[in-house]
Amino acid sequence: MMDKKVIDEFSQIVGPNNILIEDLDLFTYSYDASFLPLIPATKPDLVMKPHSTQEVARIMELANIYRIPVVARGLGSGRTGGSVPVNGGLVLCLDEMNKILEFDGENLTITVEPGVKTQDIYLYCAQRGLFYPPDPSSLKHSTIGGNIAENAGGPRAVKYGVTGNYVMGLEVVLADGSVLQTGGKMIKNVTGYDLTRLFVGSEGTLGVITQAILKLIPMPKRWRTVQVLFDSLEGACAAVSRAIKSGTIPVAAELMDQISLQAVAKFGNFSLDPNVKAGIIFEFDGDSETSLEEQTGGVQKICAEYGSIQFRIAMTQEEETELWSLRRGLSSAVAALAPNRIAEDISVPRNALPEIVKRLRAIAVKYDLQMAIYGHAGDGNLHPSLLVDLSLPGEKEKVDLAVGEIFRAALAVGGTLSGEHGIGITKKEYITDALGETGVATIRSIKKALDPSGILNPGKIF
Amino acid sequence: MMDKKVIDEFSQIVGPNNILIEDLDLFTYSYDASFLPLIPATKPDLVMKPHSTQEVARIMELANIYRIPVVARGLGSGRTGGSVPVNGGLVLCLDEMNKILEFDGENLTITVEPGVKTQDIYLYCAQRGLFYPPDPSSLKHSTIGGNIAENAGGPRAVKYGVTGNYVMGLEVVLADGSVLQTGGKMIKNVTGYDLTRLFVGSEGTLGVITQAILKLIPMPKRWRTVQVLFDSLEGACAAVSRAIKSGTIPVAAELMDQISLQAVAKFGNFSLDPNVKAGIIFEFDGDSETSLEEQTGGVQKICAEYGSIQFRIAMTQEEETELWSLRRGLSSAVAALAPNRIAEDISVPRNALPEIVKRLRAIAVKYDLQMAIYGHAGDGNLHPSLLVDLSLPGEKEKVDLAVGEIFRAALAVGGTLSGEHGIGITKKEYITDALGETGVATIRSIKKALDPSGILNPGKIF
């Protein structure tokens, strides 16, 4: 617990209107969107809302002197407990550092504070003819700072990559309060180590991001959404791989298994042909109608070879929205099937999709648990979701064992623990399995070099 | 100098046929392709040619015990002295670890040893319908290990990015001989810090790369090369920016100023209209003739707005080769204009190109030195080249001052010291100007964490 005198010292940095200290307020900063229990709550001692890099720097300087843990966060949409203050201390909530600082239409960049919502960046750029592609499902309620800290992905990663591919430079407050600038607006830059990429995905354990320069690209002129239903999940996976290999790279290729599709059907009040075992929602983009027709035509042929039952091209804006809303509503629809839903986030080489699906099903059978499988088939990133009732005796133990097996299965086929959610708290016990002793020792040594007292988001990753 | 007994110990690891110890042999490992003086030679004490990761690991283990400097290198094509063994010790020449270990047409990856030549990777993949885009000018005589260590660029970076964008995973032998695996064939991976990107561009100072998994993409179906001549250098730069902003991203957009064009003309024995002040060689690719026509048509209009004098589309394979051979021969043609050529490698935000060109010209005038300006206009990476005679009294001093001003000019317009050649020895005195005290302290702390005894390529970067 922090001393009253110390709390006062911190409070003076941001002023009394920008701190939260009441128990109920602290409680609301004790959780994120992961599947961790809320009780007992891991509350911070103090929540601070800084409004400038200078304030963040002064906070870190003081925290470093007093050896107080600091957890930076945005809107708490994380899926692995990354922003949960497990050791108490300070929460730096950066949601009010939410200014778009510069839009540079010449160099195709935008410079933002960490608290800007991802969707706001997308819309701001889109109105000016440019495209910020990363689209985590949380884009309406997640901040860019969190996206960068977790290297968030999203459906469009197949063609356009993840958040990290769009971060050109950062301003970061380090553990001792010094302010680091990395990268810049240069497209090519090999001056010193790539610190920008080191901070991307470091889950708040190496510094507090206070500004980011993001890369933009020209907005594609046309889009097309296609829904394909298959008679097997394996066929659906294989069709996506084949399409990509043929040179047609969809913007997105979202996979849903039968349970997922049934959940959506139930939620949306329509019926589903029982022969349908899997579905893919493809999105394509291009500069001309011809290009879209070539892409959809080619993929239609490939899908037919792999057992497609229906190939539906959205012909209107409404149909497009309808198809995507199925996918966007999927997580909620699946969650509604059972009292608890434990959704994982494994990532495997794309050609290992059929094998991992087989192994996931075997795990579900072994533990007698219902499992929905959906995710980003275009890049091998799946979200196997256990649909359970944790109030049943023995259920939690079964779930824990099954989750462990899911991770081991991902590693066994050459994959990893997380495609886009990070490690946080929920996967840290598996980190050595994934990275090996040398890998963990290496990231630990970097952590120690940049944060010798271990005050930045302690208890995460390793 | 290394002790005879120690040299024997090292030699046993690779066997007597895989070491070089004669003075003349050692001399040939004392330089690279940079503009550093050859005499006095900075020779290693021993050159070793390992053939496996295990051998490299044993060498590093021993070097760490004896605190002997280790410089890893491939074919010595570096431009900043990165592989020059300034502190003597061991040179690990990895050119015989040159196997292509696996081509994975399903996941679109290739796994290689560090000594494979970059062009060999390109050709191997092209024959199988896949595309490895990075194309440093040295691609015929540089190895992938060196490309990764320097994060090499090339003309195609405008559309396809640099080497680092294609490195999915690495095997690296660390300073103490332990073997680290980073990344993998997963497209999305947020398990722990991004160690892959940390080693990319680290210039051999953090570990010895012994394997790399590279990302491939489908081979574009069609290519088109266009040469455009302009009545001003500023117009040429502006046309490239405008084209990219309009949504047409060329594969390459290679800029040449009047001096560069004249050099090429002289070399190729043709005459040049004196009104031509700059030229751009564009390359476009696409999946259809229509797409190529749309791209070239759009860019032709834009070029006309910015003072193009000639717009020549290569209609045959021969013409294409002819246009590109102009660009590929440029460096040699420019070098032939004077006894010595000092070519730099600055990188600036693309819209700062007209300003940096103005500043570069002012520097040439101030020091009364001839300067050719050429480079990758599409991504703001220029190679201003001083054409001098270092045997003249006072010339070297003038050149040193001019080079310092070139770097300061790049930094002043928001750019950096190096776009694709790295820092090595030749730019290290400017590193703090570029990264700031905090930046240098941060990379130093990482270096110390991973190589506490400082045996890996000492004397480079900082």
Side-chain angles (χ1 to χ4, degrees):
Chain A
M1 287 295 286
M2 282 167 67
D3 193 278
K4 170 84 176 72
K5 193 187 132 287
V6 174
I7 287 182
D8 284 347
E9 259 188 274
F10 276 107
S11 304
Q12 278 165 23
I13 297 172
V14 294
N17 293 332
N18 296 306
I19 65 159
L20 295 168
I21 187 87
E22 296 302 322
D23 200 55
L24 192 59
D25 288 329
L26 297 178
F27 178 75
T28 62
Y29 289 85
S30 69
Y31 55 85
D32 66 358
S34 60
F35 309 101
L36 290 161
L38 290 176
I39 311 282
T42 49
K43 288 177 289 188
D45 297 304
L46 179 65
V47 174
M48 307 182 70
K49 296 208 170 201
H51 289 80
S52 69
T53 302
Q54 291 68 34
E55 286 182 359
V56 175
R58 288 176 60 201
I59 293 167
M60 287 311 307
E61 206 178 337
L62 205 57
N64 197 42
I65 291 169
Y66 289 121
R67 302 282 189 267
I68 292 170
V70 177
V71 181
R73 62 167 267 164
L75 294 173
S77 62
R79 287 288 200 183
T80 56
S83 65
V84 174
V86 281
N87 292 13
L90 293 176
V91 159
L92 287 196
C93 186
L94 299 161
D95 63 341
E96 294 181 5
M97 283 181 70
N98 59 1
K99 284 193 290 292
I100 290 176
L101 298 170
E102 189 202 37
F103 175 84
D104 182 343
E106 292 300 315
N107 289 307
L108 312 193
T109 63
I110 186 166
T111 305
V112 296
E113 289 188 324
V116 184
K117 281 188 205 126
T118 309
Q119 172 149 292
D120 291 346
I121 294 174
Y122 171 81
L123 292 173
Y124 189 94
C125 299
Q127 283 159 6
R128 288 155 182 82
L130 292 176
F131 185 27
Y132 175 70
D135 60 341
S137 299
S138 59
L139 81 175
K140 290 184 189 170
H141 52 92
S142 65
T143 62
I144 189 69
N147 285 190
I148 295 170
E150 300 293 327
N151 199 9
R156 291 189 197 124
V158 189
K159 182 164 182 174
Y160 291 112
V162 296
T163 304
N165 299 116
Y166 293 85
V167 183
M168 298 182 74
L170 293 172
E171 180 185 78
V172 182
V173 177
L174 300 177
D176 65 358
S178 55
V179 180
L180 173 71
Q181 309 287 343
T182 76
K185 290 187 185 175
M186 303 75 78
I187 294 170
K188 286 179 177 169
N189 183 353
V190 289
T191 303
Y193 305 152
D194 191 343
L195 295 179
T196 307
R197 284 305 286 258
L198 182 63
F199 286 99
V200 170
S202 64
E203 307 196 26
T205 62
L206 298 179
V208 180
I209 294 163
T210 49
Q211 267 185 37
I213 304 173
L214 304 174
K215 171 182 150 179
L216 306 174
I217 59 175
M219 184 63 86
K221 296 188 178 63
R222 288 155 199 273
W223 306 73
R224 184 155 298 164
T225 302
V226 177
Q227 180 187 270
V228 194
L229 302 177
F230 288 86
D231 63 6
S232 79
L233 187 53
E234 290 72 12
C237 293
V240 173
S241 279
R242 185 70 190 76
I244 291 171
K245 204 187 159 185
S246 79
T248 300
I249 302 190
V251 175
E254 294 293 288
L255 176 76
M256 290 172 275
D257 74 349
Q258 195 179 30
I259 294 178
S260 306
L261 288 167
Q262 282 168 343
V264 170
K266 191 175 165 190
F267 211 64
N269 221 2
F270 59 89
S271 67
L272 189 74
D273 174 349
N275 292 318
V276 171
K277 298 288 164 52
I280 304 247
I281 295 180
F282 282 105
E283 191 169 271
F284 301 96
D285 67 9
D287 284 344
S288 66
E289 205 54 31
T290 321
S291 156
L292 290 179
E293 272 159 29
E294 278 176 14
Q295 292 180 68
T296 49
V299 169
Q300 182 160 18
K301 264 187 223 154
I302 290 168
C303 288
E305 287 168 32
Y306 290 94
S308 63
I309 293 173
Q310 192 202 77
F311 190 92
R312 181 181 161 206
I313 300 177
M315 299 309 288
T316 63
Q317 176 73 49
E318 287 68 39
E319 283 184 311
E320 203 168 295
T321 308
E322 180 203 327
L323 291 184
W324 268 105
S325 67
L326 292 184
R327 173 60 185 90
R328 295 254 180 232
L330 172 64
S331 180
S332 310
V334 167
L337 290 180
N340 306 94
R341 184 262 316 253
I342 314 293
E344 275 313 330
D345 166 47
I346 56 173
S347 182
V348 302
R350 197 168 42 226
N351 81 333
L353 277 175
E355 175 64 21
I356 191 72
V357 162
K358 208 172 79 185
R359 290 183 185 223
L360 290 172
R361 283 174 166 165
I363 294 167
V365 169
K366 175 174 173 187
Y367 291 98
D368 191 23
L369 294 169
Q370 201 184 17
M371 185 193 286
I373 300 173
Y374 60 93
H376 316 296
D379 50 38
N381 179 204
L382 289 185
H383 300 304
S385 298
L386 293 168
L387 305 167
V388 296
D389 182 353
L390 292 177
S391 69
L392 295 176
E395 189 90 334
K396 184 173 180 319
E397 291 68 22
K398 276 207 301 193
V399 167
D400 288 346
L401 290 171
V403 166
E405 289 208 28
I406 290 172
F407 292 144
R408 277 190 291 279
L411 296 173
V413 302
T416 191
L417 304 178
S418 177
E420 52 187 18
H421 294 172
I423 301 303
I425 304 168
T426 59
K427 303 183 183 186
K428 59 183 272 197
E429 69 176 289
Y430 305 99
I431 190 82
T432 307
D433 295 336
L435 301 182
E437 301 280 353
T438 305
V440 175
T442 304
I443 63 175
R444 269 184 195 280
S445 75
I446 293 169
K447 165 73 175 173
K448 197 155 175 69
L450 268 68
D451 178 20
S453 309
I455 59 172
L456 282 162
N457 207 7
K460 310 299 165 66
I461 304 181
F462 36 65
Chain B
M1 288 294 287
M2 282 167 68
D3 194 278
K4 169 85 176 66
K5 192 186 134 288
V6 175
I7 287 182
D8 284 347
E9 258 188 275
F10 276 107
S11 304
Q12 278 164 23
I13 298 172
V14 293
N17 294 331
N18 296 304
I19 65 159
L20 295 168
I21 187 86
E22 296 303 321
D23 200 56
L24 192 60
D25 288 328
L26 297 178
F27 177 76
T28 63
Y29 289 85
S30 69
Y31 56 85
D32 66 358
S34 61
F35 308 102
L36 290 161
L38 290 177
I39 313 279
T42 49
K43 288 176 288 187
D45 297 306
L46 179 65
V47 175
M48 305 180 73
K49 296 209 171 201
H51 289 80
S52 70
T53 303
Q54 291 68 32
E55 287 182 359
V56 175
R58 288 176 61 200
I59 293 167
M60 287 310 307
E61 206 178 335
L62 204 57
N64 197 42
I65 292 169
Y66 288 121
R67 302 283 189 267
I68 292 170
V70 177
V71 181
R73 61 168 268 164
L75 293 174
S77 62
R79 286 287 201 185
T80 56
S83 64
V84 175
V86 282
N87 293 12
L90 291 178
V91 159
L92 286 196
C93 186
L94 300 161
D95 63 341
E96 293 182 5
M97 282 181 71
N98 59 1
K99 285 194 288 295
I100 290 176
L101 299 169
E102 187 203 38
F103 175 83
D104 182 342
E106 291 301 315
N107 290 306
L108 312 193
T109 62
I110 186 167
T111 305
V112 296
E113 289 188 322
V116 185
K117 281 188 206 129
T118 309
Q119 171 149 291
D120 292 345
I121 294 174
Y122 170 82
L123 292 173
Y124 189 94
C125 298
Q127 283 158 7
R128 288 153 183 83
L130 292 176
F131 186 27
Y132 175 71
D135 59 342
S137 299
S138 60
L139 80 176
K140 289 183 191 171
H141 52 91
S142 65
T143 62
I144 189 68
N147 286 190
I148 295 169
E150 301 292 327
N151 198 8
R156 292 189 195 123
V158 187
K159 182 162 182 174
Y160 291 112
V162 296
T163 303
N165 299 114
Y166 294 85
V167 184
M168 298 183 74
L170 292 172
E171 180 184 80
V172 183
V173 177
L174 299 177
D176 65 358
S178 54
V179 180
L180 174 71
Q181 309 287 342
T182 77
K185 290 188 186 175
M186 304 74 78
I187 294 171
K188 286 179 177 170
N189 183 354
V190 290
T191 303
Y193 306 152
D194 191 344
L195 295 179
T196 307
R197 284 306 286 257
L198 182 63
F199 286 99
V200 170
S202 65
E203 307 196 25
T205 64
L206 298 179
V208 179
I209 295 163
T210 48
Q211 265 185 40
I213 304 173
L214 305 173
K215 170 181 150 180
L216 306 173
I217 59 175
M219 185 61 86
K221 295 189 180 62
R222 287 156 199 272
W223 307 73
R224 185 156 297 166
T225 301
V226 177
Q227 178 188 272
V228 195
L229 302 176
F230 288 86
D231 63 7
S232 79
L233 187 53
E234 290 73 12
C237 293
V240 173
S241 280
R242 185 71 190 75
I244 291 171
K245 204 187 161 188
S246 79
T248 300
I249 301 190
V251 175
E254 294 294 288
L255 176 75
M256 289 171 275
D257 74 348
Q258 195 179 29
I259 294 178
S260 307
L261 288 168
Q262 282 168 343
V264 171
K266 192 175 165 191
F267 212 62
N269 220 0
F270 61 89
S271 67
L272 188 73
D273 175 351
N275 292 318
V276 172
K277 298 289 165 51
I280 304 240
I281 295 180
F282 283 105
E283 189 168 271
F284 301 96
D285 67 10
D287 284 345
S288 65
E289 205 52 33
T290 322
S291 157
L292 289 179
E293 271 159 29
E294 277 175 17
Q295 293 181 67
T296 49
V299 169
Q300 182 160 19
K301 264 187 219 149
I302 290 168
C303 288
E305 287 168 32
Y306 289 93
S308 63
I309 293 174
Q310 191 201 77
F311 189 93
R312 180 179 160 207
I313 300 176
M315 300 310 289
T316 62
Q317 177 71 51
E318 288 68 40
E319 284 185 311
E320 205 168 293
T321 308
E322 181 203 327
L323 291 183
W324 268 106
S325 67
L326 292 184
R327 173 62 185 89
R328 295 255 179 230
L330 172 63
S331 181
S332 311
V334 167
L337 291 179
N340 306 93
R341 184 265 313 255
I342 314 294
E344 275 313 330
D345 166 46
I346 56 174
S347 182
V348 302
R350 197 167 42 227
N351 81 332
L353 277 177
E355 175 64 22
I356 191 72
V357 162
K358 208 172 81 184
R359 290 184 185 223
L360 290 172
R361 283 173 165 165
I363 293 167
V365 169
K366 177 175 171 186
Y367 291 99
D368 190 23
L369 295 170
Q370 200 183 17
M371 185 193 286
I373 300 173
Y374 59 93
H376 315 296
D379 49 38
N381 180 202
L382 289 185
H383 300 305
S385 298
L386 293 168
L387 304 168
V388 297
D389 181 352
L390 292 178
S391 69
L392 295 177
E395 190 92 332
K396 184 174 181 317
E397 292 69 22
K398 277 207 301 192
V399 167
D400 287 347
L401 290 170
V403 166
E405 289 208 28
I406 290 172
F407 291 144
R408 278 190 291 278
L411 297 173
V413 302
T416 192
L417 305 179
S418 177
E420 52 186 19
H421 295 171
I423 301 302
I425 304 168
T426 59
K427 303 184 183 185
K428 58 181 275 195
E429 68 176 291
Y430 306 98
I431 190 82
T432 308
D433 294 337
L435 300 182
E437 301 280 354
T438 305
V440 174
T442 304
I443 62 174
R444 268 185 196 282
S445 75
I446 292 169
K447 164 72 176 175
K448 197 155 174 70
L450 268 68
D451 178 20
S453 309
I455 58 171
L456 282 162
N457 208 6
K460 309 299 164 67
I461 304 182
F462 35 63

